[in-house]
Amino acid sequence: MNLAGERARYVAHLGRLCEAFPGPVLLVPVATDGNLLIFAFAQRTQAWTFESLEATAEELQSEFALEFPRFLGRLRTGDLL
């Protein structure tokens, strides 16, 4: 999810995501424009690790020509709720 605009409205969206997804919710600020990317996971953190996602990020980069390994790096530095 991408949040932009009035930050006071973010709380309601985050609350709904936390209710809908039992796993972690990662917040990744977009430095250039003030948006906030949110990644919500269905699995609890014990089910995956960032290391286990590296191969998937490489595959997605090959398939879609987007910088998924860099995105994964940003996820690592995001704030975990």
Side-chain angles (χ1 to χ4, degrees), residues 5-34:
E6 196 175 323
R7 290 195 176 258
R9 299 174 65 193
Y10 290 11
V11 174
H13 294 296
L14 290 172
R16 287 187 187 110
L17 283 171
C18 289
E19 288 174 10
F21 293 91
V25 176
L26 295 169
L27 309 176
V28 181
V30 178
T32 57
D33 60 12

Side-chain angles (χ1 to χ4, degrees), residues 28-76:
V28 181
V30 178
T32 57
D33 60 12
N35 287 11
L36 185 65
L37 297 179
I38 302 171
F39 296 86
F41 293 86
Q43 299 174 336
R44 304 214 182 275
T45 55
Q46 295 86 356
W48 59 270
T49 64
F50 283 109
E51 290 76 22
S52 70
L53 296 177
E54 289 174 356
T56 302
E58 293 290 336
E59 291 172 15
L60 290 170
Q61 179 172 296
S62 295
E63 187 174 342
F64 296 106
L66 294 172
E67 300 178 68
F68 282 94
R70 186 174 66 85
F71 301 157
L72 181 59
R74 292 294 310 274
L75 279 174
R76 285 179 192 240

